[in-house]
Every structure is written in structure tokens, then in C-alpha cells.
Amino acid sequence: MSAVLPDTTPAGQRIAPGEVALLAAVFVVAACGLVYELAAGALASYLLGDSVLQFSTVIGTYLFAMGIGSWLSRLIERQLVAQFLRIELLVALIGGLMPAALFLAHGSLPASSTGAFRVLLYGLVLVVGVLVGLEIPLVMRILKRHFGQRYALKELVSQVLTFDYLGALVVAVAFPLLLVPHLGLLRTGIFFGLLNALVAAWALLIFRAELRAWALQAAATAAVLIVLVGALFGAEHLTTWAEDRFYGDNVIVRESSDYQRVVVTAGPAGVRLFLNGNLQFHSRDVYRYHEALVHPALLSHGAPRHVLVLGGGDGMAVREILRHPSVERVTLVELDPHITRLFRGVPQLAALNDHALASPKVEIVHADAFAWLESNRDAMFDAIVIDFPDPTNFSLGKLYTTTFYRLVDQHLAADGFVAVQTTSPLVARRSFWTVVATIESVGLATTPYHVHVPSFGEWGFVLAGRRPARTDLAPPAGLRFLTREGLPALFQFPPDMSRDIAGFVATPNRLSDQRLVHLLSMHSAAGRLY
């Protein structure tokens, strides 16, 4: 940091070591404070879903708490350096260990105790926010008291805020690109807790002459550093323990990609895949889901040659597509390379998709589906299979909008069909029919259908194209669930899953008004059929 600072003050005097320490502390304090805020928001979105809601409420709570801390700083009148040291140590300990504490709490609390987890989450965010709000006002007052003769007030404020904003900028860029991908959330929090503790140690040395009970302050600082170093080395064990408590079965894969936390478990009942704590499939009944997702669309076409799969990096949909002898090429567009690597390279997982991802007919593209469709406008397909997670946040919600389905339509051959997974028509009935209305709004004829998957309950799909779908054709041989006789029944909807919902008219989900995300959020909040 000293290289960033000018060699002299405006008056031509050299900067004192204490001044360097405090200005460097401003940079580090700002960086650490933003890390705790981002880590809490990211962890809340991982564990509770709906990233927009979680980040908005966490950031709002954190900023409110910082305002309280700034106001409370006026009550601190004596021993400013000693108070600053104490606050730094508290921030280091509570803020640095906050992600680990939240992760452990989520793994220890019963699945039904989301309310208790939220209380802990926002309680910690409030405490850390108040402490961080105290820091900068105290630093400014210490600078003014010790070096006020060098600066007018406006120069002091300008100097401090410059370093404050620079620290925030560095972390804002580094957090998603470097810190989380390489350290993970737990280690990132602990690492920046260590930086806060080092700021305390640095100030302890610079201002040792004016500190009372210096030995006691030094002992407290050393204790915090030892705790955080121990936590840094034990972070992986903490994560493993919490996940083992949460998932129950033997965890065979646990990885954090740039996009999500990936956990695969294997137990007596089978293999399960979790993304950010949400079950994606169970091997004991996943065949029901993928047979229903894929075959109606390919059968309705008759003899598809080129097939596009959006999402579905586990290769299960590709496995079903390759059962059709007419298929010459399958293009799989999956955002997260971790998923395709696992389901292609781990024998136990590759066996689930019959090694479909290693087929010479399959081309794997790692890209955002929305962007890929926009940049490959000339690519045409006889069938398109869309297998995205439910739109629980706006990033996923854009993949269920009129804008996205228009792009899909542009890539669909004249006689082609699209199959879309569309959540549960029983549990999230309004959401299901909103997806149907959205697809219809771009000019495609829809044929909704559903299937019972024991791990998820009643699950829905939409078959869409420019001509009527066939629902009476014989599926390929060797299927475990779908039959020619059973296929027509999937397209029948009982009254409790029908489109006729009292007081509700399904309207399209648009990029500028993602009502589908709100509908799913209301369903989750209600905890009942919605």
C-alpha cells in the first residue's frame, strides 16, 4: 500500500508510519466488509434459493446495520485506537467465521427449520454490519486526531473514502472471479477475517506507545489469529461434516464450481445429485423423468436427425435421445463444465447415462444457453429438449421467457418439436400453466403432459411445435416406464391439475416482467399447493 501513497503530504511533509497503517487499514477494512456482505448473500442464495431475493434482503440489512454502526460511533469518545482494535478483532472473528457458522447451522438444523436459520443469518449480518459501520468513522477520527494538522477536513474525507471505495472495487471484481472459485465461500470468509486481525496487529504495533494494557491487547490479537488460522486449515473438514449431516448418504462427490455447489451421494437406495442443496435426480426413478421428457418430442417428429439439448449436463436426456436410430448428431449446451466432466469421467456416474456423453454423435458445448442460441442463429434442429432447473431466480427465469422461446423457435425445423420441463402441475399449478402460456405466446402449439416421479411427485412437461403432436406412437424398445398404451394417459389432466384455476389467468412470462419467478417464490413461501 505504501507504493500507492504519495511520498509527501500537500505540505511537503513525509507521511508518518501510523498514517500509512491507517490508510492501508481503510483499504483492507472496506475489502473485508464487502466480502462478508457478498459471502452472506451468496450462501443465503445457495441454501435458501431465489438469489435476487436473498442478495437484496442481505445487502439491505447489512447497509442498514452499517448505518447504525456509523451512528453509534459518535458515542465512542476515549481510547479511539484501543476501541478500533477491539472492533477489528470482533469483525475478524464474527465476520470471518460467519460463512462457516451458517453452513454448519444449515447442516445441523432440521430441514423444516428454515425460520431458525433465517434468524441466525440476519442476526449475524446485523452484528457484522454494525461493527463494520463503526470502523471507518473511527479511522477518520484517529487520522484527524493524530495527523489533523496535515489535512483540511475535506482532504481527510477525500483520502479515506478514496481508499474505502478502492478496497470495495478490488473485492467486487475478485470475489466471483478469483476468491470463490479458488478458495470457496468458507475459506474466503476466514481469509478476510485474518486480514482484519492483521490490521489490528499492525495498528497494535504502530500505536503501542499510547495503548493501555498493551500485553492484554496483544494476547487477544494473537488468540484471534490462532483461531482463524486453525479454522482456515479445518474449513474442508467443517464443510464435509455439515454436508454429511445434511445429505445423510455417503457423499462421493463434493465440488464447488463457478456456478453452484455440486454434491453427489450414493446409498443403498441409489445415487442422488444435489445442486446448491436441491435434489436434481434420484437414480431409482430418474428414468421416468427422462423417458417422459425426451420420447414424446422425438416420436412426434418421426425421424429426427439433429437434436439440441439445453441443460441436462448429466447426460440422462442424451441417453434417451440416442435410443432413436435416426439421430445423427446431438448438441448438448450445458453452462457448468463440472457437471459434464463428472458424468463423463466418474465411472459410477457415467454408468447412469450409459456413457452417452462419450458417444461420437454427441457434441458438448459449455455456454449459457441464451447466449449460445443468439450467437448460432443458423443452427437448425429437428427436436429441442430443454432441461433447466425450475426458475427460482431471475438468472434461470430468463430461460422461461417469451424472448428465450422466440430464440428456440428460430432454431426449430418446420416439422420439429420442443420438449420443456415445466415444474409440477399439481404443487406449482399456476407456474406450470404460466410456462404453457409463455410458449403459446410465441406462436407454437402446445401439448402439456405430466408423469409421476416418486422422488419429486407429479411432474409436468410441455410438448410444442408448429403442427399437432402425436400421442399414440410406440416408444423405442428397452424403456422401463413409457409404453405405447400408457403414453396417451400422460396427456390427460385431472381437475386439480387443469388449466381452469379460479381467479387466475396464466399470462406470458416476459424478460421485463418475470412473473414466473414471483409465482414460484409465493409457492415456496406458502408451503402448499399454489
Side-chain angles (χ1 to χ4, degrees):
M1 289 306 303
S2 58
V4 178
L5 296 172
D7 287 337
T8 59
T9 66
Q13 299 168 301
R14 298 196 63 82
I15 296 177
E19 191 175 355
V20 175
L22 286 168
L23 289 175
V26 171
F27 182 91
V28 175
V29 160
C32 294
L34 186 59
V35 161
Y36 305 142
E37 180 181 356
L38 293 174
L43 195 60
S45 67
Y46 282 4
L47 301 178
L48 300 176
D50 194 348
S51 60
V52 173
L53 174 65
Q54 304 308 329
F55 266 102
S56 295
T57 54
V58 166
I59 289 173
T61 303
Y62 193 83
L63 291 176
F64 171 71
M66 286 180 63
I68 294 175
S70 296
W71 184 85
L72 290 175
S73 67
R74 63 194 290 187
L75 303 178
I76 301 175
E77 297 179 356
R78 299 180 180 178
Q79 301 183 41
L80 296 183
V81 174
Q83 299 290 359
F84 174 73
L85 286 175
R86 295 185 189 111
I87 290 168
E88 283 302 288
L89 293 178
L90 285 172
V91 172
L93 203 57
I94 301 173
L97 295 178
M98 179 172 61
L102 290 172
F103 202 82
L104 287 172
H106 189 267
S108 302
L109 291 170
S112 59
S113 301
T114 56
F117 178 78
R118 289 177 190 273
V119 170
L120 178 63
L121 166 66
Y122 290 105
L124 287 174
V125 168
L126 276 168
V127 170
V128 174
V130 169
L131 292 172
V132 171
L134 287 164
E135 290 174 311
I136 297 301
L138 286 181
V139 169
M140 292 181 67
R141 289 168 62 188
I142 294 169
L143 278 168
K144 185 65 177 173
R145 175 172 295 183
H146 288 79
F147 312 105
Q149 71 278 9
R150 301 174 183 267
Y151 298 105
L153 179 61
K154 64 179 181 179
E155 293 170 341
L156 176 64
V157 172
S158 172
Q159 187 88 296
V160 170
L161 292 183
T162 296
F163 281 88
D164 184 33
Y165 296 143
L166 280 175
L169 172 64
V170 170
V171 163
V173 174
F175 186 82
L177 300 179
L178 295 174
L179 297 173
V180 174
H182 295 291
L183 292 179
L185 275 176
L186 269 63
R187 285 198 179 97
T188 296
I190 296 168
F191 175 76
F192 277 83
L194 277 169
L195 291 183
N196 267 127
L198 289 173
V199 166
W202 194 3
L204 185 71
L205 293 175
I206 294 296
F207 295 101
R208 62 181 303 167
E210 65 179 84
L211 285 170
R212 302 175 184 174
W214 184 89
L216 184 61
Q217 297 269 19
T221 303
V224 170
L225 285 169
I226 290 170
V227 168
L228 290 172
V229 169
L232 188 65
F233 284 102
E236 189 62 31
H237 295 294
L238 291 175
T239 304
T240 300
W241 179 86
E243 287 183 338
D244 287 344
R245 288 287 302 269
F246 180 74
Y247 296 109
D249 287 343
N250 179 40
V251 177
I252 61 172
V253 173
R254 54 177 105 235
E255 295 185 5
S256 293
S257 72
D258 292 349
Y259 307 100
Q260 56 204 344
R261 180 67 175 175
V262 181
V263 174
V264 180
T265 68
V271 176
R272 296 184 297 167
L273 169 67
F274 294 86
L275 299 181
N276 294 335
N278 297 311
L279 179 66
Q280 301 302 303
F281 74 72
H282 195 307
S283 61
R284 69 184 176 190
D285 53 27
V286 70
Y287 64 89
R288 280 178 161 249
Y289 174 94
H290 288 100
E291 288 181 14
L293 172 66
V294 169
H295 296 298
L298 274 66
L299 290 172
S300 291
H301 181 277
R305 297 169 56 214
H306 302 153
V307 181
L308 173 66
V309 181
L310 301 176
D314 53 39
M316 306 293 189
V318 175
R319 177 195 65 201
E320 298 303 320
I321 291 168
L322 293 177
R323 295 184 190 275
H324 292 257
S326 64
V327 172
E328 298 174 1
R329 186 179 76 245
V330 180
T331 302
L332 171 64
V333 180
E334 164 63 44
L335 178 64
D336 194 345
H338 270 66
I339 301 296
T340 54
R341 178 179 59 79
L342 288 172
F343 282 87
R344 185 176 183 176
V346 178
Q348 190 171 359
L349 301 180
L352 295 176
N353 59 44
D354 292 341
H355 302 276
L357 298 182
S359 170
K361 294 183 178 181
V362 178
E363 177 191 8
I364 300 175
V365 180
H366 295 123
D368 177 84
F370 202 114
W372 189 88
L373 290 175
E374 285 185 317
S375 60
N376 291 270
R377 293 187 177 274
D378 295 332
M380 300 298 292
F381 299 92
D382 301 313
I384 301 176
V385 176
I386 303 177
D387 190 16
F388 296 133
D390 280 353
T392 54
N393 58 60
F394 293 110
S395 295
L396 289 170
K398 73 177 183 180
L399 304 174
Y400 289 81
T401 61
T402 53
T403 305
F404 181 76
Y405 290 130
R406 286 193 191 98
L407 285 173
V408 171
D409 184 32
Q410 293 168 12
H411 290 268
L412 187 65
D415 57 349
F417 283 89
V418 181
V420 186
Q421 91 79 17
T422 48
T423 197
S424 171
L426 177 64
V427 184
R429 188 174 168 191
R430 291 169 173 82
S431 300
F432 176 83
W433 292 107
T434 295
V435 176
V436 175
T438 305
I439 296 172
E440 290 173 343
S441 72
V442 304
L444 293 173
T446 63
T447 307
Y449 60 106
H450 61 98
V451 64
H452 182 74
V453 182
S455 294
F456 298 100
E458 207 66 37
W459 209 257
F461 307 88
V462 178
L463 184 57
R466 300 186 187 91
R467 58 189 175 96
R470 297 288 302 274
T471 62
D472 58 349
L473 299 172
L479 301 188
R480 299 173 61 187
F481 167 68
L482 216 54
T483 64
R484 182 170 188 165
E485 295 75 22
L487 185 59
L490 304 186
F491 297 88
Q492 304 299 317
F493 282 80
D496 63 350
M497 292 193 291
S498 73
R499 194 166 189 166
D500 185 15
I501 306 172
F504 177 78
V505 177
T507 54
N509 183 50
R510 304 184 186 280
L511 199 58
S512 58
D513 180 19
Q514 292 195 32
R515 60 183 65 238
L516 185 58
V517 176
H518 296 296
L519 282 173
L520 279 173
S521 296
M522 286 189 288
H523 157 65
S524 299
R528 54 179 173 78
L529 303 187
Y530 193 85

